[in-house]
Amino acid sequence: MKQIFVIIVAAGSGRRFGSPLPKQFCNLAGRPLLMHTIDAMRESVPSSRVLLVLHSDYISLWHELCQRHKFSEQGIDIVSGGDTRSQSVRNALANVPCSADVYVLVHDGARPLADHAVTTRVMQALEAGDAAVVPAIPVTDSLRHVSPDGNSDAVDRSNYVAVQTPQGFRADILHKAYDGSDAATDDASLVQSVFPDIKISITPGAAYNIKITSPTDIAVAEALMRTRSKF
Ligand code: C5P
């Protein structure tokens, strides 16, 4: 049986969110958003070890919130984050063995609605032998490619997907990618920049698996939580 680590990156400042408290600690349906994210991953992969990446300034606040909300910290190791998302993942990876027999799921703390369905598809692709797996959904808006001179051209949206997390990797591949590259907005892009020959496998994500970016997303997430079981 393979060992599974879940890295939840939640060390961002959430500047775009516009609240004094980073978005991962904001209230979603009665408790901090991050608690929903952690529970979703613990329920989806109960045998995993969770590495929770937090900014060092917020670790004591997190412990206070856990006490206040009677949220179990069992099975969760806290790691200090870095200045960028990639640095935060790298700090967590230092606690993961570099082995082909270990799987790593990397998940944004700001995606509280990733559920069993999405995570199971990622795990199944890893178990089938894929080394790097991303959940993704079709793009529904029309797309235009904008050039530096400001001109733009329509592109065929059927050639594109929007990438989500949790992304799944063989731990040895993710380690080597992080040894060989500096930064990317997501982990699969970083793996591909170091290993151009590795196939990034795409599995269906879910429209409800939104990343909380602005305060209105909280209201959307609460509505999605109420109706998700109907999808
Ligand atoms: O900023 P954005 O929403 O794209 O960040 C995605 C995730 O990466 C968030 O959950 C955020 O907390 C995390 N992050 C991090 N360390 C950073 C920057 C972002 O863990 N330095």
Side-chain angles (χ1 to χ4, degrees), residues 102-176:
V102 174
Y103 294 144
V104 189
L105 297 181
V106 186
H107 186 48
D108 289 331
R111 286 189 197 267
L113 299 177
D115 64 356
H116 194 68
V118 176
T119 307
T120 300
R121 287 194 284 272
V122 173
M123 285 303 303
Q124 282 171 342
L126 286 174
E127 278 154 11
D130 292 340
V133 185
V134 300
I137 56 170
V139 178
T140 51
D141 290 325
S142 294
L143 294 179
R144 296 187 72 80
H145 175 265
V146 181
S147 308
D149 63 8
N151 287 324
S152 65
D153 297 295
V155 294
D156 182 354
R157 70 179 172 205
S158 66
N159 290 328
Y160 295 87
V161 289
V163 167
Q164 303 183 333
T165 71
Q167 300 186 357
F169 304 92
R170 250 177 46 199
D172 56 331
I173 298 289
L174 194 59
H175 263 286
K176 285 176 197 150

Side-chain angles (χ1 to χ4, degrees), residues 8-14 16 23-24 53 81-86 88-89 107-111 185 211-213:
I8 298 180
V9 279
S13 59
R16 281 176 293 175
K23 58 189 175 184
Q24 53 273 34
V53 189
D83 289 341
T84 61
R85 184 187 185 281
S86 298
S88 291
V89 175
H107 186 48
D108 289 331
R111 286 189 197 267
T185 54
K211 184 165 76 170
I212 305 294
T213 307

Side-chain angles (χ1 to χ4, degrees), residues 8-194:
I8 298 180
V9 279
S13 59
R15 252 176 241 112
R16 281 176 293 175
F17 192 71
S19 105
L21 200 62
K23 58 189 175 184
Q24 53 273 34
F25 304 113
C26 287
N27 179 61
L28 173 68
R31 59 187 186 145
L33 184 163
L34 187 53
M35 293 181 182
H36 294 275
T37 310
I38 294 170
D39 271 351
M41 296 308 287
R42 287 202 285 210
E43 282 159 23
S44 302
V45 205
S47 56
S48 63
R49 188 170 146 201
V50 175
L51 299 170
L52 175 62
V53 189
L54 296 174
H55 192 288
S56 51
D57 288 352
Y58 290 100
I59 292 176
S60 58
L61 170 70
W62 172 249
H63 292 310
E64 269 172 44
L65 290 170
C66 288
Q67 279 199 332
R68 199 183 309 159
H69 291 271
K70 300 190 175 23
F71 184 79
S72 168
E73 295 190 71
Q74 210 176 342
I76 302 174
D77 291 319
I78 292 180
V79 177
S80 283
D83 289 341
T84 61
R85 184 187 185 281
S86 298
Q87 191 55 51
S88 291
V89 175
R90 190 176 278 114
N91 291 359
L93 263 184
N95 300 279
V96 176
C98 179
S99 161
D101 288 326
V102 174
Y103 294 144
V104 189
L105 297 181
V106 186
H107 186 48
D108 289 331
R111 286 189 197 267
L113 299 177
D115 64 356
H116 194 68
V118 176
T119 307
T120 300
R121 287 194 284 272
V122 173
M123 285 303 303
Q124 282 171 342
L126 286 174
E127 278 154 11
D130 292 340
V133 185
V134 300
I137 56 170
V139 178
T140 51
D141 290 325
S142 294
L143 294 179
R144 296 187 72 80
H145 175 265
V146 181
S147 308
D149 63 8
N151 287 324
S152 65
D153 297 295
V155 294
D156 182 354
R157 70 179 172 205
S158 66
N159 290 328
Y160 295 87
V161 289
V163 167
Q164 303 183 333
T165 71
Q167 300 186 357
F169 304 92
R170 250 177 46 199
D172 56 331
I173 298 289
L174 194 59
H175 263 286
K176 285 176 197 150
Y178 270 91
D179 287 347
S181 182
D182 252 4
T185 54
D186 77 309
D187 307 285
S189 310
L190 196 135
V191 166
Q192 195 162 42
S193 70
V194 175

Side-chain angles (χ1 to χ4, degrees), residues 179-225:
D179 287 347
S181 182
D182 252 4
T185 54
D186 77 309
D187 307 285
S189 310
L190 196 135
V191 166
Q192 195 162 42
S193 70
V194 175
F195 296 107
D197 294 336
I198 282 191
K199 181 180 169 221
I200 306 294
S201 146
I202 294 183
T203 185
Y208 55 76
N209 181 20
I210 60 169
K211 184 165 76 170
I212 305 294
T213 307
S214 69
T216 49
D217 293 334
I218 295 276
V220 173
E222 286 177 343
L224 286 169
M225 286 168 88

